[in-house]
Amino acid sequence: EVSGATCASEGACGAADGEHSAMLQVRGTSGLPRSKLSEDTLRCIEGQMLSMTIEDVTKILRGLGETPATKCSVVPRAGFYRGFLGQAPTSAIASRVWKGKNLKECTVMRGDKCRQRQVSNQIVTKVAPAAEEEAFFGEWNIKEQSWVDGQPVANVVYPDDVFMRQAEQELRPWCLCNVRMYLGILLWSLPSGEIPIGSAVLIPPDAENNDCPAVHTSNTMCEE
């Protein structure tokens, strides 16, 4: 994911800014879908995420703390999932802002359940001429053993993307500011193993104010 605070440290994202531009595939500049959430709720989500470290997010994904994520692996319905970033010890590409992910066609079905979808990242460039871009194409699927605790988790990978091939993102359902969403941690593969380099939330396209269930169980939080 590319944003005001992404790209792996320790030289893992060595491509120059111009090389990143060559990788981006422009798909249109029609504008992002309008959220049903109030501006106050969006500001709450953004502010809460910016206050969270990777250590905080890892703890939540493990199901610990006062507001734990729900341990299940979900491949959600198609649509644009607006994103907000947490803190990250990473370098910045100031000319681009990551806005979220587009979940697309289901490519793997098991029974009546989708188990893999095409996914891309929505980017907004701030350099003239400003434009929206759809970039870094991959797959949202299911991983049997997560990096955080060895249990099933939703997983985004980019096997055919030159820049993001070493990246993966693990996600679980969570609530923040009383809105149900997906909390994720971005991992980067190095010879020494996977390292966490960023975190984010993804808000479903049909999210509404106060739609977080009163009780967090697999039945209430893990619907697809």
Side-chain angles (χ1 to χ4, degrees):
E1 293 167 34
V2 177
S3 73
T6 59
C7 188
S9 57
E10 301 183 18
C13 301
D17 203 46
E19 293 175 304
H20 288 291
S21 298
M23 296 173 190
L24 297 176
Q25 301 182 46
V26 178
R27 289 290 188 267
T29 57
S30 59
L32 298 174
R34 185 173 180 82
S35 174
K36 297 178 182 178
L37 301 178
S38 69
E39 289 300 317
D40 285 345
T41 298
L42 292 172
R43 281 193 291 268
C44 175
I45 294 169
E46 183 177 28
Q48 290 291 322
M49 284 305 299
L50 288 175
S51 72
M52 294 175 60
T53 66
I54 288 180
E55 290 75 19
D56 295 331
V57 172
T58 302
K59 180 179 179 180
I60 292 169
L61 287 173
R62 285 177 177 158
L64 304 175
E66 295 181 1
T67 58
T70 303
K71 292 189 178 184
C72 58
S73 51
V74 180
V75 178
R77 67 197 67 172
F80 172 70
Y81 287 67
R82 182 166 181 175
F84 288 101
L85 293 168
Q87 297 178 17
T90 58
S91 59
I93 302 177
S95 62
R96 298 185 183 90
V97 177
W98 175 74
K99 303 301 289 186
K101 293 187 188 296
N102 300 297
L103 270 69
K104 301 184 174 186
E105 178 184 355
C106 181
T107 54
V108 175
M109 291 286 296
R110 292 179 186 167
D112 61 349
K113 300 286 188 180
C114 179
R115 286 297 172 259
Q116 180 172 289
R117 283 193 188 279
Q118 296 175 343
V119 67
S120 66
N121 290 271
Q122 195 76 17
I123 310 294
V124 175
T125 60
K126 296 189 289 184
V127 294
E132 287 177 33
E133 300 170 325
E134 194 177 350
F136 310 124
F137 295 82
E139 302 165 352
W140 181 307
N141 55 32
I142 288 173
K143 183 178 179 183
E144 293 302 324
Q145 293 186 314
S146 75
W147 176 83
V148 296
D149 59 10
Q151 298 187 42
V153 69
N155 193 46
V156 178
V157 293
Y158 304 89
D160 299 322
D161 189 288
V162 174
F163 174 60
M164 293 291 286
R165 190 174 296 153
Q166 292 172 265
E168 65 175 303
Q169 186 177 26
E170 296 187 352
L171 302 110
R172 283 177 173 155
W174 186 50
C175 283
L176 180 63
C177 301
N178 208 27
V179 176
R180 180 183 172 276
M181 61 191 71
Y182 297 92
L183 176 66
I185 189 165
L186 182 65
L187 306 170
W188 197 268
S189 295
L190 294 175
S192 57
E194 294 176 321
I195 59 169
I197 63 170
S199 61
V201 289
L202 290 168
I203 303 170
D206 57 351
E208 298 182 352
N209 291 333
N210 305 314
D211 69 1
C212 178
V215 178
H216 297 181
T217 66
S218 58
N219 289 333
T220 62
M221 292 292 291
C222 303
E223 62 180 21
E224 301 176 0

